[in-house]
Amino acid sequence: CVAVFGGIGIAYYINKSRRSPRVAEKVESEIRGVKWKSEKEENLLELHVQQAVYYQQFGEHVEAAKSFLMAAKEAQGQGDDEEYLDYLSLALQEFEDAGKYEEAFHILTSLPSGPIGSPENIEHQVQLAQMLIRMNDDRALDQLATIEELISKYPGSENLQATVHTFRGTFYTNRDDVSNAEKSFRAAITLDLAEHESEGYSELSPDALGSFIELQKLYISHKRPKDAQKIAEEVTKRTSGKYEDFSYYSHLLELANIFIEYDYTTLAENTWDSILSMYETAYKTIAEKEREDRSPSECSVFGMVTKALNEKEMMKFNLLKTGRYNDVTRDLDVDPFEHRVSSKFFDTTSFNIIVTPSPDTGLPCVQFIMELNVRNREMMKQLKVMGFRFRVDYKGDTILQRKYLYHSEDQLVVLLSDPIEKVNAGHHLLVIEVFLGDEQRYYHFQAFNIPTTVNPSETLGE
């Protein structure tokens, strides 16, 4: 029996892919520990779903995918085509989350793609192209050409041409073909800007900003930060940069992360400061409000500023290696909502606590779990990242720590703490200490506020 606490767990696992209401209810009931009442008691399909959900809780996405595949096979045997496709989709998502793109691609090719030229069909073709690019597969270019042919024959999908150019640029970037990558990203930007001007928009769309950020990343990764800054000037000229221009400031957050990834720390700090100069005054006012009293735009501002402050302080800590990382404490005191952070090596994708039986006593205990997406595996190899220490701090003291080896093929890093009898309410700091080949250390910090004490022995006893 495994329990998941907090809003992250259930929302994350229920909403992560498309499925029928019936399948969603079945998966949710397993996460919550509620027995699903199937027509056939203890049938194999139910068992496979239980196994998949169990593996999900521990971040074992490959095993979860295998169990969902078994559930799909069982549903197919029972003649339930809807559940069969739903469980295939769940398996695909688990493989994708684990960075196992070949396995995900294999499932994707078996899913229905709709009539040729239909929106469903073109979306399916785009998903295939995206997966091939992640696999760094030569077939990606032919797949993109197929999409372009569909766009030319079937009206209503012309807006996807910019996406095709961006995907092609990403493919060439992965092959270190700077010239063709640059041409492709520029082609995407040209189309995005044409739409921007024809519609008379005052702010650039997320799609247009996405094309710009890919070109900036290309330049930064090839030691051309000045060219990336020139792109930033292009962006500034074409968007309002006003308080309501949230897409632009989200774009700056990602740009700062790319600068950090390639050690352009001054440029990263300047980029964060651009966000703070716009929003920090409003942020102080918003912080005084209860979360339920904040408007959606105020929540966006609070999230951006908190993320910028945290990541800026994390950079300073890694540069100076002095003091303690305490800036997030102030933010969590006024806002228990969790803000996932990014650093040189990682993006936090999820974190939670789970209740499981102790391997020693069999009594229920608590474990922290954290999942990190690796931003740049090639960089991890170059810097000879060997492993990590996963640490949980509470009120300035380390209460748990565990070491992990790093495998260079891992796209997703899943860290699980040792078990502990109970977890107190309050601010916890999840610390990932990265061990580099030259005996240096790098730190990734994730704030985690637990609203109430979790003591499963007492709870179960009641």
Side-chain angles (χ1 to χ4, degrees):
C1 178
V2 179
V4 179
F5 287 78
I8 297 173
I10 290 172
Y12 176 69
Y13 290 118
I14 293 303
N15 298 323
K16 69 194 297 187
S17 67
R18 294 172 298 174
R19 67 202 71 170
S20 68
R22 184 160 46 129
V23 168
E25 185 180 354
K26 185 178 293 187
V27 175
E28 181 174 4
S29 69
E30 295 296 346
I31 291 174
R32 294 184 183 276
V34 179
K35 182 176 174 61
W36 174 259
K37 302 296 184 181
S38 59
E39 294 180 3
K40 297 181 180 180
E41 290 186 3
E42 299 297 327
N43 62 23
L44 282 175
L45 192 152
E46 180 182 353
L47 176 62
H48 294 316
V49 173
Q50 289 174 345
Q51 289 175 331
V53 170
Y54 176 84
Y55 287 128
Q56 278 183 328
Q57 313 312 311
F58 290 93
E60 297 184 25
H61 296 289
V62 172
E63 295 304 317
K66 292 176 181 177
S67 293
F68 279 130
L69 284 176
M70 295 298 292
K73 183 178 180 181
E74 189 65 25
Q76 186 181 40
Q78 295 177 10
D80 194 328
D81 292 339
E82 184 181 17
E83 283 204 1
Y84 167 68
L85 293 175
D86 282 334
Y87 288 125
L88 275 185
S89 297
L90 284 164
L92 186 158
Q93 185 66 60
E94 293 299 321
F95 278 131
E96 189 174 358
D97 287 348
K100 302 298 182 182
Y101 301 126
E102 289 84 358
E103 292 86 345
F105 179 78
H106 178 73
I107 296 175
L108 189 59
T109 58
S110 69
L111 293 176
S113 60
I116 295 176
S118 66
E120 180 185 2
N121 175 253
I122 294 177
E123 179 185 357
H124 185 77
Q125 300 301 327
V126 169
Q127 290 171 341
L128 289 172
Q130 188 174 36
M131 205 68 71
L132 286 167
I133 290 168
R134 288 173 174 173
M135 293 160 57
N136 202 16
D137 192 302
D138 288 336
R139 291 175 291 174
L141 292 179
D142 290 337
Q143 182 64 28
L144 292 172
T146 297
I147 297 169
E148 287 181 315
E149 185 177 354
L150 290 172
I151 291 172
S152 67
K153 289 182 178 179
Y154 298 93
S157 56
E158 297 84 357
N159 60 327
L160 283 175
Q161 184 61 63
T163 300
V164 171
H165 287 315
T166 301
F167 279 8
R168 190 176 284 117
T170 302
F171 174 84
Y172 286 129
T173 297
N174 293 341
R175 296 298 178 91
D176 207 28
D177 186 342
V178 176
S179 177
N180 279 318
E182 187 173 10
K183 289 177 184 176
S184 299
F185 291 138
R186 275 294 178 190
I189 289 169
T190 297
L191 290 178
D192 287 327
L193 291 181
E195 180 185 9
H196 172 77
E197 292 171 5
S198 66
E199 297 292 337
Y201 297 140
S202 59
E203 284 104 24
L204 286 171
S205 69
D207 286 342
L209 290 167
S211 301
F212 276 115
I213 199 73
E214 291 299 330
L215 183 55
Q216 287 174 301
K217 186 173 183 177
L218 175 69
Y219 289 148
I220 294 167
S221 65
H222 286 82
K223 300 180 180 180
R224 295 166 60 183
K226 290 183 179 180
D227 289 328
Q229 288 177 283
K230 290 178 182 178
I231 300 297
E233 293 170 3
E234 285 187 55
V235 171
T236 302
K237 290 176 182 177
R238 289 181 167 88
T239 198
S240 74
K242 294 180 180 179
Y243 182 97
E244 299 81 9
D245 197 356
F246 300 134
S247 294
Y248 169 64
Y249 289 102
S250 296
H251 165 89
L252 291 185
L253 273 175
E254 178 56 22
L255 179 59
N257 290 330
I258 297 169
F259 279 135
I260 283 296
E261 189 176 330
Y262 292 93
D263 295 325
Y264 295 107
T265 54
T266 300
L267 294 176
E269 186 166 9
N270 292 341
T271 305
W272 282 315
D273 287 343
S274 296
I275 300 168
L276 299 178
S277 65
M278 170 55 70
Y279 291 125
E280 198 161 19
T281 300
Y283 168 83
K284 293 174 183 177
T285 302
I286 297 167
E288 295 175 357
K289 295 184 178 183
E290 297 293 334
R291 177 166 174 75
E292 58 270 18
D293 295 331
R294 298 172 190 164
S295 68
S297 64
E298 288 175 330
C299 289
S300 296
V301 169
F302 196 93
M304 280 193 287
V305 174
T306 299
K307 185 173 171 65
L309 285 171
N310 291 346
E311 292 171 355
K312 182 179 176 181
E313 292 306 313
M314 184 156 47
M315 176 199 73
K316 290 181 178 179
F317 182 93
N318 279 297
L319 286 174
L320 301 174
K321 297 291 192 302
T322 59
R324 293 190 65 83
Y325 180 74
N326 289 322
D327 242 41
V328 292
T329 307
R330 177 196 63 200
D331 302 322
L332 285 167
D333 286 341
V334 295
D335 183 33
F337 186 69
E338 319 300 350
H339 301 283
R340 295 174 178 84
V341 299
S342 298
S343 64
K344 177 180 176 66
F345 293 122
F346 307 115
D347 299 313
T348 298
T349 58
S350 69
F351 51 95
N352 217 323
I353 54 175
I354 55 178
V355 176
T356 60
S358 167
D360 298 323
T361 66
L363 296 173
C365 61
V366 184
Q367 289 179 280
F368 288 79
I369 186 169
M370 187 173 188
E371 297 189 11
L372 303 165
N373 177 62
V374 176
R375 290 183 64 88
N376 190 326
R377 284 189 296 176
E378 187 58 36
M379 183 176 291
M380 299 278 274
K381 290 180 185 178
Q382 292 173 5
L383 296 177
K384 299 179 181 178
V385 172
M386 299 180 294
F388 322 104
R389 179 184 285 115
F390 179 36
R391 204 175 81 211
V392 180
D393 288 359
Y394 177 67
K395 293 186 175 180
D397 295 324
T398 297
I399 60 172
L400 293 166
Q401 59 179 320
R402 194 181 210 180
K403 287 185 177 180
Y404 284 86
L405 291 175
Y406 172 66
H407 303 286
S408 60
E409 69 274 10
D410 289 346
Q411 181 62 49
L412 182 74
V413 173
V414 180
L415 304 172
L416 189 68
S417 76
D418 287 326
I420 190 171
E421 184 178 325
K422 72 172 185 177
V423 174
N424 292 314
H427 167 224
H428 293 69
L429 195 61
L430 309 183
V431 182
I432 293 81
E433 185 179 358
V434 183
F435 301 114
L436 306 179
D438 56 3
E439 298 186 359
Q440 289 189 36
R441 300 286 186 270
Y442 186 89
Y443 295 84
H444 178 95
F445 299 97
Q446 176 63 60
F448 187 5
N449 192 60
I450 298 177
T452 59
T453 296
V454 180
N455 189 339
S457 295
E458 288 185 2
T459 303
L460 293 178
E462 295 171 359

